[in-house]
Amino acid sequence: MYITANGITDKAKKRTLLLYQAGARVREIFRQIPDNGDDKDYDKAVEKLIEYFEPQKHRLYEVYKFREARQDVSETLDQYYTRLRSLSTRCEFADPDFEIMVQIVLCGRSSRLRKQALRDPKLTLKDLLVLGRQCERSRQQAAEIEENTRNNQTGMNDGAVVDAVCNTPAGKTSQKGVCRNCGAEWPHNTGICPAKGKECRKCSKLNHFARVCRSAPAVARGQRQDRGRWQGRHENKPIRPLNVSDNDNESSDSDNYCYSVNNTKAQNPYTKLKINNRNVKFTVDTGSSINIIDQQTFEQLGHYTLSKTNIKAYAFNSNVSVKMNGKFTTIVESRRKITVTTIYVTKANGGCLLSGSTAEELGLISLHLNAIMEYNVLSRSIQMFFCGLGKLRHQTVELLVDKDVKPVTQRQRRIPFHLRAKVDAELSRLRDEDIIERVPDTEATEWISPIVIVPKKDDNIRLCIDMRAANTAIKRIRHPIPTVHDISHELNGAKFFTKLDLTQAYHQLELAPESRQITTFITHAGLFRFKRLNYGTNSAAEMFQHALQQVLHDIPGFRNIADHILVFGSSYEAHNKALDECLHRIDTHGLTLNFDKCQFLQPKLEFFLLNFSLTDPKKVSALATAAMPTTVSEVRSLLGMANYSSQFIPNFATITEPLRQLTHKGTPFIWTQEQDHAYNTLRKALINSPVMSYFDVNKATEVTART
């Protein structure tokens, strides 16, 4: 408009004026666009800018959005029609009116309008809209008449109004109705229901709250679905509270307890777990220390061998013990997790109990107990360790760049239009935390890397930089990083453990100014570069490992792998002394911790997915539940999975030798009784969960050798 008003016809001037009015950021982006024409090519410049900034249209996705458009609770038919008309413009329908009419009939809120459309096959979109307006107008007028009628009458039951349900008791007069979607007074003062677009926590449907949900209760639905052999057998058989004394080792001088409280007015908490590919219904008993199933359930599980047990379980306030047939160890699966546990089998058919510890391992419950920590550092100044993003003081890190490598300037990768607002918010956050900075317009940029957007589960995004090209020029600095097995030898005698996790660990190291240029990345908002050490740099892990070791290197009872810090001690006092010094160093050097990922004073250790107290059941579950191999390739895959737990299985090489013979070149694949025995022995060894202890140089060592 400005160009036309001023009579500018020269294409070079028009191109220059366009880029000038667009602003510095657009000019910067335009310079990065390849093949943007010469200085006199105005049409080429317009074409490239439109191609860059206009969001890419995908017809299939636009049709999907159109099909998913449903009429909202507070949306009139005309508003819904206008929204559908706008969505249809990008769908390229051959007959938009027919598609809109079909969408109104299928996804509209008016049942009366839907019935009328199905009754009259010659109904057009225009006729449907006229009929819909009449329905809305008549419903609104009827609601006003009925509301006035209720206000003028007393001593009668409240009537039902369209789109509202009145909950006033009989014999009282209601001045206002109650909304059937949110439970508040109706009509709403704002005209919009608070439940619009909200998800019900009871039935997971939209546009109403759980307090007014008219769907069948979840427990009732679960009861209807569970009318099978498990519930039919146990639903009328109460589970008696048990007092359990474990004498399996004939040396136990303490009692375990197992409680189950029966309530005739409420349903006991229960869950269905999978054992040997069969579903078993358990009552969850958080006070129980053992798992129990009855004899009838045990017979349904298949071929399990019971081990003898001397355990004694008593009913509450009873001296008569419950007779046990034995026990067995197996893999138990829930929808979320899997674990290996021991289950006791009773002779009586009284149902199944799941202990609190097993329920917690399966992710079914979460216990939050109040604990008093006598650690003076945490109680004195806890905020200093967990406040925001820290920065290592008086030290910067430098990236060594090979000048012989030719710099690479990569073009921007197109960002989906609906994610640009989230990218802008993430860039703003990184700038506010002093992690990145904008590249000045007057500064040359030899290295430019694109970004990669990774969606998170919480509907946010993670902004990643593709540093593959830049890493070819960064000389990697080699610093030794210890392994988990290296650390495990230092844990001999340790009884107390604390894990510390630094907040955005790499970002707490400041990059030297001369090292920032190679971290430059391009977005739709312009060029930025890192002021802190960024994730994706090939030498970041070694550099951070070295920097953190320089801060905490001489503290007894401390080790770290990258940003994961482990503090341990053989006694409570030794652990606290090491933790006190570690936190003091962290505070002195300006570093901060992520409180949500820190664990203090733990009696057992799980570090880098390795559980030092027992074999991780998540790792062995794939092997323990695997089918018997039928080819050489499947045998190799089986042995590869088993190698993870080989250190926990005595005589692993001897057990697996018959299986390894099948993998030798030229050996025919013949599955004999010998291989079958080896396969079953390997599975049994994994299920038994053997315990390994730390190597102690002060104890006698037994060496076993084969001749």
Side-chain angles (χ1 to χ4, degrees), residues 162-293:
V162 178
D163 288 340
V165 176
C166 184
N167 293 330
T168 307
K172 295 184 180 180
T173 302
S174 173
Q175 298 297 328
K176 287 190 175 183
V178 177
C179 179
R180 67 179 180 181
N181 299 311
C182 68
E185 290 186 351
W186 183 88
H188 302 293
N189 295 331
T190 60
I192 299 177
C193 180
K196 176 183 177 182
K198 301 298 190 298
E199 180 178 338
C200 175
R201 295 181 179 179
K202 188 176 181 181
C203 68
S204 300
K205 297 179 181 179
L206 298 177
N207 300 321
H208 69 274
F209 292 150
R211 61 189 177 190
V212 294
C213 182
R214 296 182 293 279
S215 299
V219 174
R221 292 196 302 271
Q223 291 174 347
R224 288 195 296 269
Q225 294 172 358
D226 295 336
R227 296 294 182 185
R229 60 184 181 186
W230 301 111
Q231 183 170 356
R233 185 188 309 143
H234 304 313
E235 63 181 349
N236 295 323
K237 297 179 181 179
I239 300 173
R240 303 179 65 188
L242 299 176
N243 179 3
V244 180
S245 176
D246 191 352
N247 294 321
D248 275 4
N249 300 325
E250 299 182 358
S251 62
S252 175
D253 56 359
S254 62
D255 290 341
N256 298 320
Y257 294 94
C258 178
Y259 300 106
S260 177
V261 180
N262 292 324
N263 188 346
T264 57
K265 296 182 179 180
Q267 178 75 20
N268 288 329
Y270 70 89
T271 184
K272 281 190 174 182
L273 304 177
K274 183 174 289 187
I275 302 177
N276 196 21
N277 292 325
R278 295 179 181 270
N279 292 325
V280 181
K281 180 182 175 182
F282 283 87
T283 297
V284 180
D285 186 353
T286 56
S288 173
S289 58
I290 60 173
N291 305 298
I292 298 175
I293 66 172

Side-chain angles (χ1 to χ4, degrees), residues 513-695:
E514 59 271 16
S515 300
R516 299 175 183 175
Q517 185 187 44
I518 198 170
T519 65
T520 302
F521 60 94
I522 185 171
T523 71
H524 69 282
L527 296 176
F528 298 87
R529 63 189 178 193
F530 278 91
K531 299 176 67 176
R532 309 284 184 94
L533 182 63
N534 63 307
Y535 294 86
T537 302
N538 57 7
S539 60
E542 289 93 338
M543 297 175 68
F544 184 86
Q545 175 75 20
H546 179 69
L548 193 58
Q549 284 182 342
Q550 294 300 313
V551 175
L552 307 172
H553 70 282
D554 58 347
I555 301 177
F558 150 79
R559 288 306 300 266
N560 78 293
I561 299 179
D563 60 327
H564 299 276
I565 302 173
L566 173 63
V567 181
F568 53 91
S570 58
S571 64
Y572 183 79
E573 292 75 15
H575 166 273
N576 285 358
K577 182 179 179 181
L579 182 57
D580 190 359
E581 180 63 25
C582 187
L583 292 178
H584 176 71
R585 298 274 187 93
I586 288 175
D587 176 52
T588 303
H589 288 80
L591 303 176
T592 57
L593 300 172
N594 184 351
F595 182 77
D596 294 335
K597 295 185 178 181
C598 293
Q599 298 180 8
F600 295 93
L601 290 173
Q602 299 295 312
K604 60 181 180 179
L605 173 67
E606 183 179 345
F607 195 61
F608 270 84
L609 300 180
L610 184 60
N611 194 322
F612 286 92
S613 59
L614 52 89
T615 308
D616 188 355
K618 293 180 291 185
K619 295 295 184 182
V620 304
S621 62
L623 176 60
T625 59
M628 185 177 296
T630 57
T631 63
V632 176
S633 178
E634 291 180 359
V635 172
R636 290 195 179 99
S637 178
L638 176 70
L639 293 173
M641 290 190 296
N643 276 332
Y644 169 82
S645 303
S646 60
Q647 58 181 321
F648 302 104
I649 302 176
N651 304 319
F652 177 79
T654 303
I655 294 174
T656 58
E657 178 60 26
L659 299 176
R660 296 184 186 278
Q661 292 177 359
L662 297 178
T663 63
H664 295 167
K665 185 176 181 180
T667 303
F669 185 86
I670 302 176
W671 189 271
T672 65
Q673 187 176 359
E674 185 181 10
Q675 280 77 24
D676 189 70
H677 176 72
Y679 173 74
N680 292 327
T681 304
L682 182 61
R683 291 189 62 194
K684 184 177 180 180
L686 286 169
I687 294 176
N688 286 335
S689 298
V691 177
M692 296 186 66
S693 58
Y694 308 120
F695 177 76

Side-chain angles (χ1 to χ4, degrees), residues 50 147 406 504 516 532 666:
I50 292 177
E147 182 69 21
K406 183 179 179 181
Q504 302 181 59
R516 299 175 183 175
R532 309 284 184 94

Side-chain angles (χ1 to χ4, degrees), residues 367-396:
L367 300 180
H368 303 278
L369 305 178
N370 294 328
I372 299 176
M373 183 180 293
E374 299 179 356
Y375 187 55
N376 58 349
V377 174
L378 293 180
S379 60
R380 183 181 71 238
S381 54
I382 190 171
Q383 293 183 354
M384 69 175 65
F385 307 114
F386 309 108
C387 183
L389 178 66
K391 182 172 71 173
L392 185 63
R393 295 171 182 167
H394 313 302
Q395 183 178 344
T396 60

